[in-house]
Amino acid sequence: MGKTYERIDGRLREFIEAQPMFFVATAPLAGDGTVNLSPKGLRGTLAVLDEHTVAYLDFAGSNAETIAHLRENGRVTLMWCAFGGPPNIVRVHGHGEPVFRDDPRWPDLLRHFDVDPTPHGLRAVIVVRAQLVRDTCGYAVPLMSYDTDRDLHGRRFAREDDESLSAYFAGKEHVASSIDGLPGLPLPLPPTPAR
């Protein structure tokens, strides 16, 4: 019932790019560490960069578990579910890294996304190199309708500038370091590069 793919292209790529949300799973190396699973949404914030690489925009939030785990070991799984249309689940197992604002790759990466990240407190671009790409049936995934993206995140973080956003992150318990004490988001944030 499941199939392994050599690359992300054709109908597989179309499926990934059409989904309004996906999930990101990471874990620290420590056996007693905290496994993290995060939902991601907002249309235009995920891009297939090439046949083996996907990336998504990492926005302001209450923690930075994914960033901390990727900085420690790079292991990541992304998952998309078909909540409408034919049933399907796609997983990309791979190695990821957070690319921060002061990285020379930053401007080129941002060109791949079809969204204005300005109001969302963009703090990193997560780049994932696929090592295993598989799909499964998804027969038990419920049918649900997608209405629209919520505008709450953009409304909340649009009022922040680089300085106030760094202060916001510094005031959160699990942004500079993870729940398990791993290095998280480097603070203060580098300035937003001019576009």
Side-chain angles (χ1 to χ4, degrees):
M1 300 216 335
K3 181 179 176 183
T4 300
Y5 296 85
E6 295 291 322
R7 61 191 54 83
I8 302 168
D9 63 0
R11 289 191 329 199
L12 181 65
R13 180 177 182 154
E14 290 171 11
F15 173 79
I16 287 172
E17 291 177 333
Q19 302 315 306
M21 75 175 296
F22 62 100
F23 301 88
V24 179
T26 58
L29 292 176
D32 62 349
T34 305
V35 175
N36 189 63
L37 178 62
S38 296
K40 301 295 179 184
L42 297 179
R43 293 249 187 216
T45 62
L46 175 103
V48 178
L49 303 185
D50 62 41
E51 294 179 335
H52 303 284
T53 313
V54 298
Y56 69 88
L57 302 177
D58 181 75
F59 294 128
S62 300
N63 63 43
E65 297 303 299
T66 300
I67 287 174
H69 296 160
L70 293 179
R71 290 181 70 190
E72 184 203 35
N73 62 64
R75 297 178 307 163
V76 63
T77 298
L78 307 180
M79 183 180 78
W80 295 263
C81 299
F83 294 113
N88 195 17
I89 299 171
V90 172
R91 290 179 181 86
V92 170
H93 306 268
H95 187 272
E97 67 168 317
V99 175
F100 300 113
R101 296 173 174 190
D102 55 354
D103 189 296
R105 297 171 291 173
W106 182 266
D108 288 333
L109 284 170
L110 287 185
R111 289 183 180 82
H112 291 276
F113 300 96
D114 187 27
V115 67
D116 177 9
T118 309
H120 295 283
L122 181 61
R123 56 188 188 178
V125 177
I126 306 298
V127 179
V128 177
R129 183 83 174 158
Q131 296 169 324
L132 176 64
V133 180
R134 289 194 42 83
D135 71 0
T136 52
C137 67
Y139 291 167
V141 174
L143 287 169
M144 296 189 289
S145 65
Y146 166 75
D147 296 327
T148 188
D149 288 333
R150 295 177 192 261
D151 66 352
L152 296 173
H153 193 273
R155 288 192 353 232
R156 161 59 186 93
F157 289 100
R159 58 184 184 242
E160 304 288 352
D161 59 19
D162 290 343
E163 186 177 331
S164 65
L165 194 57
S166 285
Y168 169 83
F169 289 142
K172 293 292 182 184
E173 186 177 6
H174 299 298
V175 171
S177 64
S178 74
I179 293 170
D180 300 313
L182 297 172
L185 185 67
L187 294 175
L189 290 176
T192 302
R195 292 186 83 177

